[in-house]
Amino acid sequence: MRPLTSTSPAVDAPEPAEGWEAYRGRGYFPELDGLRALSILLVVAHHMHDKVWGWLNGPLGVTIFFVLSGYLITTLALREERTRGDLCFSAFYIRRSFRIFPAYYVTLGLYCLTILGLGIKPESRELLMRALPYYLSYLQEIPFFRGIGGNFNIPFVQSWSLGVEEKFYLVWPLLAFWIWRGDGRSRVSWTAALTVAFAAAPALEYAGLGLLGRMIVPHSRILVGCLVALLLDDPSGFGRLSFLGRGGWPWATTAVLVGLHVGISDGDPVGHASYAIACGTFLVGLLCGGGAIRRALAWAPLVALGRLSYGVYLLHFFGLNAAEKLVRPGSGRIEVAAVTLVLAWATSAALAYALALVVERPCIALGRRLSARAMEAHDRRRDRLSTGVSPRREL
């Protein structure tokens, strides 16, 4: 998670709510990395072949990822807009591309090497070949939602959520920071309306558009996080919601979230929509105070794992397959399953750390340098326009 930039309030801004300045002045939220770590642990547990861990409802970890992603990306964009006057779209897409694509395609290459090159897991060869055109063109959510090979039999199937996110972030900056620019109320109203509309997409099943509905619904989860960012960025919105971070409210929002987490079943669109809203409400409480819950999520080992979560998400099937080679699943003994799960977590984290050192961090650094150049060029163009100087005449 990149540091957030602190900015000063506008001169004509409303009187800041108590705690709002402190919130805007925070450059980094370690508790969000801790929450991301719990999410990735849930996802890895779900993909274990030993179904002892089914009660953890691991797929909901992806919903938490979506909500966090929407919040963080939108908050970064809001702070850039406030600091610089607008969002530089070219810089945004450069940063996003260098953050996501290099590690993704390196991992895809590892899958191709092990399955197609080395012949490991030959039973997966045909499924990988069927999915490969989608993976290469970054349309990896299509084979997942079509259920090719029974979903989780497809190698690299976990990348479906990345496809969803990148389609969202192709459009979201243009909507929120160009079309709705300069009108905070419109941003909030339209974001809320889109969230409701996308959450209702399962109804498209009745019109024979079930695939489209399934592909749209996850965007509503990201929009919940975007809505949290928009509300907390405004002093009046922060003031109305800050009670969720005080007293017993953080514990109440946690209890609701946990209760929904263990109680939701697959194929329950209302339950899943409610869970996303509960995630957003919990996130508000965490950011506005949080108390002991915030301190627990900011525990250093959790934060360290959270910072590796993207690599863990990409590579964890390699980690859990290695763990299950050492400790065979299906024993029915909880202590054996626990050892296997911890080993899978540790192996996945080690692989993710190597990926971060070799691929992620150098590419992110390069992306930031290129982004800075794009911002400088953007500022020069804006200055020319503001002074009425034509770039051609200047040349």
Side-chain angles (χ1 to χ4, degrees):
M1 180 167 58
R2 294 187 296 274
L4 303 179
T5 304
S6 171
T7 60
S8 300
V11 174
D12 58 350
E15 187 69 24
E18 183 181 357
W20 183 67
E21 292 286 4
Y23 162 74
R24 283 211 319 175
R26 294 186 68 195
Y28 173 56
F29 299 99
E31 63 272 21
L32 299 189
D33 272 333
L35 183 59
R36 193 152 34 188
L38 294 182
S39 303
I40 194 61
L41 294 177
L42 287 170
V43 170
V44 176
H46 172 66
H47 290 152
M48 298 293 290
H49 290 96
D50 198 327
K51 298 307 178 185
V52 169
W53 307 110
W55 61 274
L56 288 174
N57 223 347
L60 291 175
V62 177
T63 297
I64 301 174
F65 273 121
F66 281 152
V67 174
L68 282 173
S69 174
Y71 168 77
L72 288 167
I73 296 297
T74 304
T75 298
L76 285 164
L78 285 167
R79 294 187 177 188
E80 179 182 326
E81 180 187 59
R82 187 163 48 248
T83 303
R84 303 177 58 83
D86 61 2
L87 178 66
C88 178
F89 296 112
S90 58
F92 174 88
Y93 292 124
I94 287 170
R95 290 193 303 269
R96 190 72 189 164
S97 297
F98 278 84
R99 172 71 181 93
I100 298 299
F101 293 146
Y104 168 83
Y105 282 108
V106 166
T107 305
L108 177 59
L110 289 175
Y111 271 94
C112 292
L113 174 64
T114 54
I115 295 174
L116 303 181
L118 301 179
I120 298 172
K121 297 192 72 173
E123 68 277 10
S124 299
R125 182 184 180 90
E126 181 183 350
L127 286 174
L128 178 58
M129 290 298 297
R130 289 173 63 186
L132 193 56
Y134 298 104
Y135 288 161
L136 290 171
S137 56
Y138 218 83
L139 297 169
Q140 62 270 45
E141 69 274 25
I142 293 177
F144 173 79
F145 285 114
R146 283 183 174 173
I148 296 175
N151 279 358
F152 287 105
N153 292 321
I154 313 171
F156 205 27
V157 68
Q158 73 275 21
S159 65
W160 72 269
S161 65
L162 305 177
V164 167
E165 282 198 32
E166 292 317 296
K167 309 307 182 297
F168 181 89
Y169 292 122
L170 279 175
V171 177
W172 173 246
L174 301 176
L175 279 178
F177 296 92
W178 182 38
I179 296 176
W180 302 335
R181 180 185 172 192
D183 189 345
R185 289 186 177 181
S186 289
R187 276 176 174 167
V188 171
S189 299
W190 279 108
T191 302
L194 281 178
T195 304
V196 173
F198 287 179
L204 293 173
E205 189 82 43
Y206 300 104
L209 300 171
L211 176 61
L212 178 62
R214 290 191 296 274
M215 294 178 68
I216 288 176
V217 165
H219 296 287
S220 68
R221 318 310 191 222
I222 306 174
L223 281 165
V224 168
C226 298
L227 189 58
V228 169
L230 293 171
L231 289 170
L232 294 184
D233 190 69
D234 177 70
S236 60
F238 186 95
R240 287 192 295 269
L241 295 172
S242 60
F243 74 93
L244 291 168
R246 299 191 296 267
W249 281 103
W251 295 102
T253 58
T254 302
V256 171
L257 182 63
V258 172
L260 286 171
H261 188 99
V262 298
I264 291 174
S265 59
D266 288 339
D268 177 7
V270 175
H272 282 269
S274 300
Y275 183 79
I277 294 170
C279 284
T281 307
F282 172 81
L283 186 58
V284 170
L286 194 63
L287 294 165
C288 292
I293 296 172
R294 175 196 280 186
R295 292 192 294 273
L297 287 173
W299 184 44
L302 273 182
V303 171
L305 179 59
R307 293 174 70 86
L308 294 172
S309 60
Y310 179 52
V312 174
Y313 192 73
L314 289 173
L315 294 165
H316 70 270
F317 273 102
F318 290 102
L320 68 86
N321 285 335
E324 289 178 340
K325 289 290 184 183
L326 295 174
V327 185
R328 295 287 182 178
S331 68
R333 295 168 56 189
I334 188 66
E335 68 275 13
V336 175
V339 169
T340 311
L341 181 58
V342 171
L343 185 58
W345 286 340
T347 306
S348 300
L351 292 172
Y353 183 68
L355 183 70
L357 288 180
V358 176
V359 179
E360 285 189 83
R361 293 177 186 176
C363 290
I364 289 171
L366 175 58
R368 286 177 178 169
R369 290 196 296 272
L370 296 176
S371 170
R373 293 179 188 173
M375 284 185 174
E376 290 172 1
H378 173 77
D379 290 344
R380 287 195 295 269
R381 287 193 298 270
R382 186 174 57 188
D383 291 343
R384 292 189 190 109
L385 290 173
S386 65
T387 57
V389 176
S390 167
R392 292 185 178 180
R393 287 200 303 271
E394 188 180 61
L395 291 172

